[in-house]
Amino acid sequence: MRSLVLTTLSLSALSLAFPHEYDDHELNQLHKRNIIYNGQIAEAYDFVIAGGGTAGLALAARLSEDTNTTVLVLEAGDTGDAVKNSVDVPGNAYYSSLLGSSYDWKYMTVQQPNAGNRELPWARGKILGGSSAVNGLYMVRPSKLEVDSWASLIPKGDLWNWNSLFPNMKKSETFTKPSAEIQAAGAIQYDPQSHGSSGPVKTSYPGYIVPVVGNWTQTLEDIGIPRTPDANGGESWGAFIATSAINPSNWTRSYSRSAYIDPLPFRANLDILANSTVTRLLFSPINSFAPTTAPNLTASQVEFASTADGPKRTVNVRKEVIITGGAVGSPHMLLASGVGPRDVLEAAGVQVNVELPGVGQHLQDHISTEVVWKASTDTAASLRGGSVTDLPNGQSSPFLSFINSATAYANSTDLFGFDFGPVYRKNIEGSLAEARNMIPSQYEEVKKGYDAIFKATLDLMATPVGQVELLLSLTGTAVGGDQSIAIQAALQHPFSHGRLYIKSPSTFDPPVIDPQYLTHNADVVSLREGLKLARKLGETAPLSASLVQEISPGPNVKTDDDWDKWLAGAIGTEYHPSCSCAMLPQELGGVVDAELKVYGLDNVRVADASVFPIQFAAHLQAPVYGLAEQAANIIRSKYNGVPLPSATTVAPPSATTTLAAQTSTPPEKSSAVGTSMGIQQWYLVIAGVVAGAFSVLVL
Ligand SMILES: *[C@@H]1O[C@H](CO)[C@@H](O)[C@H](O)[C@H]1NC(C)=O
Ligand SMILES: *[C@@H]1O[C@H](CO)[C@@H](O)[C@H](O)[C@H]1NC(C)=O
Ligand SMILES: *[C@@H]1O[C@H](CO)[C@@H](O)[C@H](O)[C@H]1NC(C)=O
Ligand SMILES: *[C@@H]1O[C@H](CO)[C@@H](O)[C@H](O)[C@H]1NC(C)=O
Ligand SMILES: *[C@@H]1O[C@H](CO)[C@@H](O)[C@H](O)[C@H]1NC(C)=O
Ligand SMILES: *[C@@H]1O[C@H](CO)[C@@H](O)[C@H](O)[C@H]1NC(C)=O
């Protein structure tokens, strides 16, 4: 066994002696997972993937399918083998979370003036598998309307329209239907046609459903938000029980490592190196692959290190560097490599290699908070009773696969009403001149990018696409303990954009993260109306039968003003940062083109949630897997003669999904909302109008 492994290994271009004798376990790991445990790698690879997270490992598996292509993955975090139980058991996302541990980057935002002057935690997975190893497992796809909106923002955008992304999201998954019991217990609806059946990521529903989940979609229907028969086929709005990244063969988490890497046989052309933080890309001006007078720089090496003061190592790049560090890590690596806004790079003491004002800009996140009740029925937390061994009905493993997945996406009518929705949208439209001035960039192209994203976001408000996500949380709350139930509300399409930048050239120093939460007051209004819907849900049968008393924010929060003050001090991230290396034209502050190539660089792509130019009403891992699959298609078609699959023909969604703008004429009072008014005052006017409009609402 041992000698076999060693022989195979020597094929992976290692002529170096092993520094120490490996035990069988280590060799077995090495053999099975292509993970390098001795730090020894080859001098050069065709592709160096910077970041072994959700997208990075998916790409590594796909690119190394071509046996004549060598692939190295550099991951800053450890393998995760030491915390397997926390990763693998779905419920442990809540009960034994890795957030706050050494497997979390533990980023913090800078003080957020509109969110109670707080510095807020921004957890991101620092482990093989990235955030897919530590997240809440939701597999919720964006809608066709949103994906097509993204595609419309970039030349050659057809690579990313729904007809392209949908088959790639399907390609990434194998869906398993719930059992009849689980389906009935959760009132679950799905259409297998919208799912994949042979992809690496296993998706399904938990093996145990807390009974109150079965009341979710009915209660939403009772307040006018219909059930969604198929949330995965391009119309992911309304109420549904989401699919999760669960492997139902043993009720474990399916994440990018367990899905794409662990099942692989040993591949001599794939090496995965953990504990390796990319410090920068090194460029050579000579373009060895298309020797022309190309002004674009070629990344010839990637530099990395295990610790801030440890030795730096380099690896040579034969073809490309693919940056997959996520919405924080990817712009961070580019900035440290001298690719970004000149003002930021100069202030940080980094030599400017490519002036690209959009790096770290257009940063968008979902923010959320919750209404909490004392529960009169069992919750997942109360059933578990703090124990992982003493479980009801002996259902240890299926029970611990329970994770929250009851969700609903409320559209602008649900939030603002048929009459006021269009007026409200018109009011937001009038705020653009002021809103673009709040964009933290001195570069006009970044502001032009904001204009484009703003318009796309506004157009989506006129459609059934969700503006606020509502989530049923049964895993215990900080204020109410195990015997409490929360309904969370999360803003999906923010008008507030922030940025991320560096103050130091070292990627071991965290970047400065300023999401500028709630700077555009449309976000305050939307989230507040979402929270009101959350409260209303909790007060509506059949769900209300399980909820005894609201404990947070409680009866003292009644008026719009009360809500706004309270939510400013309560919101936090829904862990969905994106858009920080936006796929937009360069003149709109874009960072990558439709082929994911970084402007000004000859052989560097970014392929993760940082390239989405707009936020989606979705959880990000499902579209990120689809993006990684399509990125692999694009790259393999360029280098390995694997033709780009043509977008499969997908049945067009029903007529209700057109982007047609609503044409209702705004009532008189909207004309009182001038654009010269300060944004703060502007929103107070809106708030007044919303409050008025709500008296005529039937929800
Ligand atoms: C990564 O570093 C940690 C801490 O030094 C160590 O325990 C672990 O074995 C390393 N992992 C690998 C794959 O080398
Ligand atoms: C809904 O709620 C009722 C009463 O709280 C409960 O008996 C029932 O089992 C729940 N589930 C479904 C699927 O209706
Ligand atoms: C769960 O099953 C998959 C096969 O479907 C396997 O690869 C994985 O190792 C199993 N996980 C655990 C923790 O047993
Ligand atoms: C929001 O959903 C409701 C209920 O399905 C629907 O009647 C309404 O037209 C939708 N709103 C928009 C703006 O599409
Ligand atoms: C430089 O790269 C851009 C894409 O980033 C590409 O459009 C352009 O053709 C390249 N220039 C040359 C001379 O190769
Ligand atoms: C690599 O292998 C693929 C088939 O997997 C082949 O089509 C391609 O021509 C090869 N590329 C090179 C550079 O040898």
Side-chain angles (χ1 to χ4, degrees):
M1 177 65 185
R2 173 171 300 202
S3 63
L4 171 73
V5 173
L6 287 171
T7 313
T8 333
L9 236 194
S10 63
L11 294 176
S12 102
L14 301 184
S15 47
L16 293 150
F18 289 110
H20 72 265
E21 193 66 11
Y22 274 70
D23 65 27
D24 285 343
H25 172 73
E26 282 171 311
L27 284 172
N28 193 35
Q29 300 299 308
L30 184 74
H31 177 68
K32 266 176 55 193
R33 297 191 189 121
N34 302 285
I35 295 167
I36 301 296
Y37 276 77
N38 61 4
Q40 298 296 337
I41 56 167
E43 270 174 25
Y45 291 81
D46 291 323
F47 296 101
V48 177
I49 296 178
T54 313
L57 294 184
L59 263 167
R62 291 303 186 196
L63 295 181
S64 61
E65 281 177 15
D66 295 314
T67 52
N68 54 9
T69 295
T70 57
V71 178
L72 172 71
V73 178
L74 295 171
E75 164 55 36
D78 200 352
T79 59
D81 287 344
V83 286
K84 216 169 149 35
N85 198 44
S86 286
V87 174
D88 283 344
V89 178
N92 281 351
Y94 298 98
Y95 308 127
S96 173
S97 170
L98 291 172
L99 304 195
S101 77
S102 64
Y103 297 91
D104 174 3
W105 284 91
K106 288 179 279 195
Y107 296 119
M108 296 295 291
T109 69
V110 295
Q111 273 198 349
Q112 295 299 291
N114 296 304
N117 274 323
R118 292 171 301 143
E119 293 174 10
L120 294 162
W122 259 37
R124 302 276 83 207
K126 189 180 183 183
I127 180 171
L128 279 183
S131 294
S132 74
V134 303
N135 67 14
L137 287 80
Y138 286 92
M139 287 292 274
V140 178
R141 294 179 188 163
S143 292
K144 177 182 191 297
L145 287 166
E146 295 169 289
V147 176
D148 287 347
S149 172
W150 159 23
S152 74
L153 289 169
I154 184 88
K156 287 197 187 168
D158 284 0
L159 284 168
W160 301 106
N161 64 18
W162 177 258
N163 287 357
S164 297
L165 193 69
F166 183 41
N168 281 297
M169 290 191 288
K170 286 167 84 167
K171 185 182 180 190
S172 71
E173 76 163 345
T174 295
F175 172 72
T176 304
K177 295 192 249 185
S179 69
E181 293 73 28
I182 291 294
Q183 185 173 3
I188 294 169
Q189 287 184 282
Y190 61 88
D191 181 349
Q193 297 291 1
S194 297
H195 287 286
S197 55
S198 57
V201 182
K202 309 290 187 288
T203 66
S204 193
Y205 300 91
Y208 173 80
I209 295 276
V210 179
V212 67
V213 171
N215 290 154
W216 177 251
T217 52
Q218 181 61 53
T219 309
L220 276 139
E221 199 147 90
D222 292 347
I223 69 163
I225 301 181
R227 298 166 211 256
T228 312
D230 173 21
N232 287 278
E235 298 190 351
S236 70
W237 49 73
F240 56 96
I241 307 303
T243 42
S244 295
I246 285 181
N247 180 346
S249 75
N250 50 15
W251 303 114
T252 55
R253 175 194 294 266
S254 184
Y255 66 112
S256 70
R257 175 181 163 179
S258 67
Y260 281 93
I261 301 297
D262 290 349
L264 294 181
F266 174 73
R267 281 183 181 171
N269 60 332
L270 170 62
D271 287 336
I272 298 172
L273 196 59
N275 288 346
S276 300
T277 299
V278 170
T279 48
R280 59 184 174 154
L281 277 49
L282 298 168
F283 300 104
S284 73
I286 315 298
N287 179 343
S288 56
F289 295 97
T292 59
T293 52
N296 295 333
L297 297 181
T298 299
S300 50
Q301 293 188 312
V302 177
E303 184 188 76
F304 60 97
S306 288
T307 57
D309 342 311
K312 298 221 169 30
R313 302 175 61 187
T314 55
V315 61
N316 297 330
V317 178
R318 286 209 201 93
K319 292 192 171 87
E320 294 198 358
V321 179
I322 302 146
I323 299 181
T324 49
V328 179
S330 289
H332 195 191
M333 286 184 241
L334 283 174
L335 292 168
S337 307
V339 179
R342 175 173 289 278
D343 56 357
V344 165
L345 299 179
E346 284 177 349
V350 174
Q351 181 197 312
V352 181
N353 286 318
V354 177
E355 210 177 330
L356 207 51
V359 176
Q361 295 284 342
H362 304 306
L363 182 64
Q364 295 164 62
D365 189 19
H366 291 161
I367 48 169
S368 75
T369 184
E370 59 193 16
V371 180
V372 184
W373 289 265
K374 211 166 158 19
S376 59
T377 47
D378 286 330
T379 69
S382 67
L383 285 168
R384 173 178 168 269
S387 154
V388 289
T389 48
D390 178 24
L391 298 167
N393 314 326
Q395 299 185 70
S396 80
S397 165
F399 175 77
L400 279 178
S401 75
F402 180 84
I403 28 91
N404 295 318
S405 60
T407 186
Y409 287 87
N411 70 27
S412 64
T413 313
D414 305 326
L415 293 164
F416 310 113
F418 274 107
D419 291 336
F420 188 67
V423 179
Y424 180 53
R425 204 158 46 77
K426 198 86 189 147
N427 277 303
I428 295 174
E429 192 174 4
S431 75
L432 174 59
E434 273 178 74
R436 78 196 303 276
N437 281 336
M438 302 188 302
I439 296 312
S441 169
Q442 59 168 299
Y443 301 100
E444 180 59 19
E445 51 265 64
V446 175
K447 292 183 193 291
K448 283 189 181 147
Y450 180 77
D451 298 346
I453 297 167
F454 179 96
K455 178 163 189 319
T457 306
L458 198 63
D459 285 349
L460 287 168
M461 270 187 107
T463 75
V465 163
Q467 300 297 322
V468 168
E469 183 184 14
L470 300 166
L471 291 165
L472 179 65
S473 172
L474 301 173
T475 43
T477 64
V479 290
D482 287 355
Q483 196 59 43
S484 66
I485 288 177
I487 300 177
Q488 301 169 339
L491 180 76
Q492 300 296 293
H493 289 111
F495 287 96
S496 308
H497 290 193
R499 70 158 169 165
L500 176 162
Y501 61 103
I502 54 172
K503 280 191 167 165
S504 128
S506 170
T507 51
F508 285 95
D509 295 330
V512 182
I513 297 171
D514 183 5
Q516 295 212 132
Y517 284 147
L518 303 173
T519 46
H520 196 301
N521 284 286
D523 294 353
V524 178
V525 176
S526 295
L527 188 57
R528 173 227 298 156
E529 297 307 324
L531 286 161
K532 287 185 190 169
L533 276 185
R535 175 180 277 171
K536 183 170 179 169
L537 263 178
E539 292 169 353
T540 303
L543 194 55
S544 54
S546 301
L547 306 177
V548 200
Q549 178 206 338
E550 184 184 310
I551 47 183
S552 175
N556 290 338
V557 171
K558 285 193 290 267
T559 65
D560 288 350
D561 199 38
D562 295 339
W563 277 111
D564 296 351
K565 285 202 182 97
W566 176 77
L567 77 87
I571 59 128
T573 180
E574 199 195 7
Y575 309 110
H576 296 163
S578 63
C579 316
S580 51
C581 294
M583 183 190 293
L584 285 173
Q586 194 171 358
E587 60 274 18
L588 299 187
V591 175
V592 299
D593 65 16
E595 295 184 327
L596 303 163
K597 286 186 68 177
V598 178
Y599 297 116
L601 299 178
D602 189 56
N603 65 337
V604 179
R605 296 181 214 249
V606 180
D608 56 38
S610 68
V611 308
F612 299 141
I614 57 168
Q615 268 284 13
F616 303 128
H619 291 245
L620 295 183
Q621 68 178 344
V624 165
Y625 282 127
L627 175 124
E629 292 283 1
Q630 178 71 333
N633 295 336
I634 292 169
I635 295 165
R636 293 174 74 190
S637 75
K638 171 165 181 186
Y639 293 97
N640 281 357
V642 181
L644 196 62
S646 58
T648 38
T649 318
V650 195
S654 64
T656 58
T657 61
T658 55
L659 251 173
Q662 312 229 357
T663 49
S664 332
T665 321
E668 275 315 67
K669 47 184 160 187
S670 75
S671 60
V673 183
T675 51
S676 60
M677 202 177 280
I679 286 270
Q680 291 290 334
Q681 294 157 295
W682 171 82
Y683 109 79
L684 287 173
V685 173
I686 294 286
V689 182
V690 171
F694 258 63
S695 57
V696 297
L697 287 190
V698 188
L699 274 184

